[in-house]
């Protein structure tokens, strides 16, 4: 099972499910900007320049079509991408996806996003405190971007304390991939990261941290 116990809008779970299903990015779109420019998509009044013959839309090229765009070749690429997709039932044989959040508004948004992505059959979203989240199935991967004081408040590192307890209770032998922009917050996990990869979220330098959650007999050594 792949779990995000503090899922927010469920972005990480949706991306993970799309990868598992081999759904190419943007494949659900009905059109792409490079195919051709449709003036009806930009109802903003055109800017008039000194030359009466020169008209342009703000921040929008007059024509987005790539000069070497080949519609026949693009259809082949799309068909190959569709054929590569896996049926949800095949993925669910090995993995199920669960998101959870304490805040009702976040849960509502997460469920809406999952539905819009066409993944309601694959991803389940629950509402509640992480302390009350007990999962009967084996958790193999935890993905999360918990509160770390800037994106969301985390008084006294409480969220990370609860996350550490959740990992030790539900994800023994599994791996956790966590995003954090505050090195002090991660100390509350009481765990040593196996790797730390720099990532940038907006204007914030963050780390993608990987933890292997030791099995009970290993942690007792």
């Amino acid at each position: 099972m792949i779990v995000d116990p503090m899922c927010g809008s469920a972005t990480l779970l949706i991306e993970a499910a799309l990868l598992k299903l081999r759904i190419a990015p943007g494949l659900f779109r009905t059109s792409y900007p490079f195919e051709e420019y449709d003036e009806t998509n930009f109802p903003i009044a055109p800017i008039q320049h000194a030359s009466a013959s020169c008209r342009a839309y703000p921040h929008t090229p007059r024509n987005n079509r790539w000069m070497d765009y080949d519609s026949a070749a693009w259809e082949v690429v799309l068909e190959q991408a569709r054929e590569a997709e896996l049926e949800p039932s095949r993925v669910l044989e090995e993995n199920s996806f669960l998101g959870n959040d304490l805040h009702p508004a976040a849960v509502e948004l997460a469920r809406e996003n999952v539905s819009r992505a066409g993944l309601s059959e694959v991803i389940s979203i629950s509402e509640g405190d992480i302390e009350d989240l007990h999962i009967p199935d084996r958790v193999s991967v935890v993905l999360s971007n918990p509160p770390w004081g800037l994106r969301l408040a985390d008084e006294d590192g409480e969220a990370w304390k609860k996350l550490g307890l959740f990992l030790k209770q539900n994800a023994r032998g599994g791996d956790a991939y966590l995003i954090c922009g505050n090195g002090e917050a991660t100390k509350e996990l009481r765990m040593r990261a196996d790797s730390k990869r720099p990532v940038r979220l907006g204007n914030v330098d963050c780390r993608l941290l990987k933890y292997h959650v030791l099995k009970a007999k290993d942690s007792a050594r």
Side-chain angles (χ1 to χ4, degrees):
M1 176 176 277
I2 298 173
V3 178
D4 186 344
M6 301 177 177
C7 70
S9 60
T11 299
L12 295 179
L13 281 177
I14 290 171
E15 294 291 347
L18 291 174
L19 281 171
K20 282 290 185 181
L21 289 165
R22 299 181 186 173
I23 298 177
L27 191 59
F28 55 84
R29 296 182 60 150
T30 57
S31 63
Y32 300 82
F34 57 79
E35 292 179 294
E36 64 180 311
Y37 174 67
D38 181 0
E39 189 170 303
T40 61
N41 290 332
F42 301 94
I44 303 172
I47 298 172
Q48 296 289 348
H49 291 268
S51 171
S53 61
C54 181
R55 303 167 73 246
Y57 285 82
H59 312 297
T60 305
R62 292 179 61 191
N63 193 331
N64 285 338
R65 181 192 284 274
W66 290 354
M67 295 185 67
D68 60 350
Y69 170 64
D70 185 331
S71 59
W74 178 236
E75 284 301 322
V76 171
V77 171
L78 287 176
E79 188 57 32
Q80 290 173 341
R82 295 186 186 106
E83 290 176 354
E85 288 184 36
L86 297 178
E87 289 293 329
S89 57
R90 289 186 58 186
V91 173
L92 290 172
E93 289 175 2
E94 300 179 0
N95 292 288
S96 55
F97 297 79
L98 173 65
N100 177 81
D101 205 277
L102 175 63
H103 306 287
V107 170
E108 182 179 355
L109 180 59
R111 287 173 175 162
E112 179 182 337
N113 288 341
V114 168
S115 177
R116 290 177 61 190
L119 297 172
S120 298
E121 184 180 349
V122 178
I123 301 175
S124 301
I125 304 293
S126 64
E127 179 183 333
D129 196 301
I130 188 174
E131 288 183 304
D132 302 321
L133 185 60
H134 301 290
I135 301 171
D137 297 330
R138 177 180 176 272
V139 176
S140 57
V141 175
V142 174
L143 309 169
S144 198
N145 183 7
W148 35 265
L150 179 61
R151 186 179 62 93
L152 292 172
D154 180 23
E155 296 295 331
D156 301 319
E158 193 64 24
W160 288 81
K161 292 176 185 176
K162 292 181 178 181
L163 179 58
L165 184 60
F166 170 83
L167 293 175
K168 292 161 188 172
Q169 290 179 339
N170 295 279
R172 292 285 189 184
D175 294 313
Y177 298 86
L178 310 175
I179 297 174
C180 188
N182 178 359
E184 293 299 313
T186 61
K187 294 179 180 179
E188 301 298 339
L189 281 180
R190 301 291 191 269
M191 297 170 62
R192 184 186 298 273
D194 296 313
S195 65
K196 301 179 181 181
R197 296 188 178 185
V199 295
R200 194 167 179 84
L201 300 183
N203 62 347
V204 182
D205 289 320
C206 299
R207 296 292 181 271
L208 174 59
L209 308 166
K210 178 191 176 185
Y211 296 87
H212 180 67
V213 188
L214 297 176
K215 295 180 180 179
K217 62 178 181 180
D218 295 330
S219 61
R221 292 176 181 173

